[in-house]
Amino acid sequence: DIDEEIGKHQWADVILLQTPCNWFEIPWTFKKYMDEVWTAGMDGRLCKGDGRTRSDPTKLYGSGGTLNSKYMISLTFNAPAESFNDAAQFF
């Protein structure tokens, strides 16, 4: 239920998003959740828009932000530990 999920976001002080990153993409079920819940929450229940307004063109895209919650995103990659400390490798 989308409204119930939006309510959970409104209730929470901190939201931790933990997901694997498979082939540099998130799982489709998480993408579907974002598309359905977060898009519905763009009506003002989850955020103040993207920051831009016609009345104040100095406000920049991305400066809108969340209403009350703080978010942390944690991704896991299936890569050996050595690859994260080697400048020649992707990570």
Side-chain angles (χ1 to χ4, degrees), residues 21 24 76-91:
C21 190
F24 303 101
T76 54
F77 292 86
N78 185 22
E82 299 79 23
S83 66
F84 292 97
N85 295 318
D86 183 350
Q89 296 195 39
F90 176 79
F91 299 102

Side-chain angles (χ1 to χ4, degrees), residues 2 5 8-9 14 32 34 37 39 42-43 48 50-51 54 58-60 62-63 75 82-88:
I2 292 172
E5 289 299 311
K8 291 175 185 177
H9 283 267
V14 177
K32 182 176 186 278
M34 291 190 303
V37 175
T39 300
M42 291 292 290
D43 63 2
K48 302 175 196 171
D50 66 16
R54 291 183 186 196
T58 63
K59 290 190 174 184
L60 302 175
S63 63
L75 301 174
E82 299 79 23
S83 66
F84 292 97
N85 295 318
D86 183 350

Side-chain angles (χ1 to χ4, degrees), residues 1-89:
D1 180 284
I2 292 172
D3 289 328
E4 181 180 342
E5 289 299 311
I6 289 174
K8 291 175 185 177
H9 283 267
Q10 292 171 321
W11 172 84
D13 294 324
V14 177
I15 297 168
L16 173 62
L17 304 167
Q18 169 62 51
T19 184
C21 190
N22 302 319
W23 295 97
F24 303 101
E25 297 287 339
I26 58 172
W28 75 268
T29 51
F30 185 37
K31 173 69 168 93
K32 182 176 186 278
Y33 180 90
M34 291 190 303
D35 288 347
E36 293 178 353
V37 175
W38 294 350
T39 300
M42 291 292 290
D43 63 2
R45 292 182 286 172
L46 294 182
C47 68
K48 302 175 196 171
D50 66 16
R52 301 173 291 175
T53 65
R54 291 183 186 196
S55 62
D56 186 358
T58 63
K59 290 190 174 184
L60 302 175
Y61 176 80
S63 63
T66 62
L67 295 177
N68 297 315
S69 301
K70 294 181 181 181
Y71 291 81
M72 176 185 283
I73 299 175
S74 173
L75 301 174
T76 54
F77 292 86
N78 185 22
E82 299 79 23
S83 66
F84 292 97
N85 295 318
D86 183 350
Q89 296 195 39

